[in-house]
Amino acid sequence: MKPKIELRHLRYFLAVAETLHFSKAAAQLGMAQPPLSQQIRSLERIVGYPLFDRTTRGVRLTKVGQYFRERAQNTLTKVHDDLEMARRLGSGQEGVLTVGFSGSVMLTTLPKAIERYRRLCPRVELRLREMVTAEQTPALLDGTLNLGFLRDAEPQDGLSMESILRERFIAVLPARHKLAGNAVVRPEDLRNEPFILFARRMGPLAFDRTLACCEGFRPNIVQEAPQWPTLVRLVAAGLGISLAPACVANFAVPGVVYKRVRSPHWTSIDIGLKPQLDNPAVEAFLSIVRKQFSRKSGDSVPFGMAQ
């Protein structure tokens, strides 16, 4: 069987090529000179031509050796780069990560987690997609999204769901509303108010949990809005009032006030992904997200924390 060149042959050869001295190269490699000389001769037999001229005055590279030195350096550099790439991929520091999110999630601490992730994993191509919960579920199933942040996600075959935050509801009122001076608003105080809400098809469970706050009455929905910024501005324009997750209060709009609602009902932010997803970048990102969301803040409580 014809002998093959191994990486150690290249390392030995380059050490001698750089020092042009077998004893110095052997010391640099941490080995004795005779085995080094033997390995170089073995490499020359594989190549078929001498790589060094050995004389009483010293050692110098032949023309074949000069060419081989450049190629050996390129080979070892490429192997090193490939190993580093493999390690970064394995640790989640390289690759592509596509993340979906419901609009309200960006009003929580998620942007801070994203900023930290970008600093720690700058080589990952992070693709962010704003999508309502109903759109994220099929996108997660077909692989369009690697990971999703959903508002009040429902169980779905083929997906793993993890709740990371529970939020209280707040009332979104025009600044001149009769209840604007109240510290807390009771749901029954809103019985006769015109409501602005999102369509149920955008997130069925989120819609149902919102209506659950309206105990004893069915709200009069006069206007639907696709996004929270639009909804809040419609409230500011006097078209009605709304109920929203506590994080929406971080969206400052003139002419609007936010009031806590006296209700036991909660809304949640949930992480959705496929089980056993083979993408280390997902776990690296989730590790940062979980740490960021583990901090209690106002009416937002990390899921699982005692109330």
Side-chain angles (χ1 to χ4, degrees):
M1 184 176 179
K2 189 175 181 179
K4 296 181 180 179
I5 293 179
E6 300 178 17
L7 290 179
R8 61 188 173 88
H9 288 131
L10 302 185
R11 289 196 296 270
Y12 296 159
F13 165 73
L14 287 174
V16 178
E18 289 169 3
T19 60
L20 295 178
H21 197 288
F22 277 84
S23 295
K24 291 180 180 179
Q28 188 180 93
L29 292 167
M31 61 189 299
Q33 181 180 334
L36 175 60
S37 298
Q38 185 180 2
Q39 291 295 327
I40 295 299
R41 292 195 181 280
S42 174
L43 176 60
E44 289 175 320
R45 284 195 295 271
I46 295 172
V47 173
Y49 295 92
L51 299 173
F52 297 98
D53 279 334
R54 302 163 177 84
T55 68
T56 55
R57 290 176 294 180
V59 177
R60 64 184 180 88
L61 286 164
T62 64
K63 284 191 176 296
V64 174
Q66 292 173 9
Y67 169 81
F68 195 72
R69 177 176 60 181
E70 180 181 348
R71 305 306 294 177
Q73 287 172 335
N74 290 342
T75 297
L76 287 181
T77 298
K78 186 176 186 307
V79 170
H80 178 268
D81 291 346
D82 289 345
L83 283 173
E84 285 301 308
M85 172 65 81
R87 292 182 182 120
R88 289 196 297 267
L89 284 170
S91 64
Q93 296 179 18
E94 192 94 25
V96 177
L97 180 60
T98 306
V99 178
F101 62 92
S102 297
S104 62
V105 183
M106 279 298 175
L107 297 171
T108 68
T109 193
L110 181 61
K112 290 183 179 179
I114 291 172
E115 187 273 334
R116 177 169 174 76
Y117 179 72
R118 294 302 300 129
R119 282 191 289 107
L120 295 178
C121 302
R123 292 178 178 272
V124 176
E125 182 182 346
L126 181 61
R127 301 171 180 173
L128 300 173
R129 305 282 186 267
E130 181 174 358
M131 306 168 71
V132 299
T133 294
E135 294 172 334
Q136 287 193 60
T137 300
L140 288 165
L141 287 169
D142 67 19
T144 301
L145 296 178
N146 300 126
L147 176 69
F149 292 89
L150 307 92
R151 172 66 65 179
D152 297 308
E154 298 182 87
Q156 172 69 49
D157 289 342
L159 292 180
S160 171
M161 297 293 184
E162 173 191 348
S163 294
I164 58 167
L165 191 73
R166 295 200 304 175
E167 296 183 273
R168 294 187 185 276
F169 283 97
I170 57 172
V172 187
L173 308 173
R176 295 187 178 183
H177 193 277
K178 61 184 179 181
L179 299 175
N182 292 22
V184 180
V185 173
R186 299 177 303 170
E188 55 265 34
D189 295 334
L190 307 175
R191 178 185 297 271
N192 298 317
E193 298 288 340
F195 274 72
I196 304 170
L197 291 177
F198 54 91
R200 189 177 188 277
R201 65 179 180 276
M202 297 169 63
L205 184 55
F207 183 88
D208 293 345
R209 285 180 173 176
T210 303
L211 262 60
C213 286
C214 305
E215 297 175 358
F217 70 97
R218 177 83 179 182
N220 176 27
I221 302 174
V222 298
Q223 179 68 48
E224 291 182 346
Q227 297 175 329
W228 287 111
T230 301
L231 186 151
V232 173
R233 289 190 174 98
L234 290 175
V235 171
L239 272 68
I241 63 100
S242 191
L243 293 172
C247 66
V248 174
N250 292 321
F251 185 63
V253 174
V256 169
V257 294
Y258 301 102
K259 299 296 176 179
R260 183 169 177 174
V261 174
R262 185 174 296 159
S263 172
H265 296 284
W266 292 82
T267 175
S268 67
I269 292 175
D270 309 302
I271 296 172
L273 71 162
K274 281 186 176 181
Q276 291 85 47
L277 184 66
D278 186 18
N279 187 340
V282 169
E283 281 306 316
F285 183 57
L286 283 180
S287 175
I288 293 172
V289 167
R290 290 184 181 114
K291 288 180 182 178
Q292 189 65 45
F293 273 85
S294 66
R295 303 162 186 170
K296 181 176 178 179
S297 176
D299 288 325
S300 299
V301 180
F303 195 84
M305 182 177 288
Q307 305 302 314

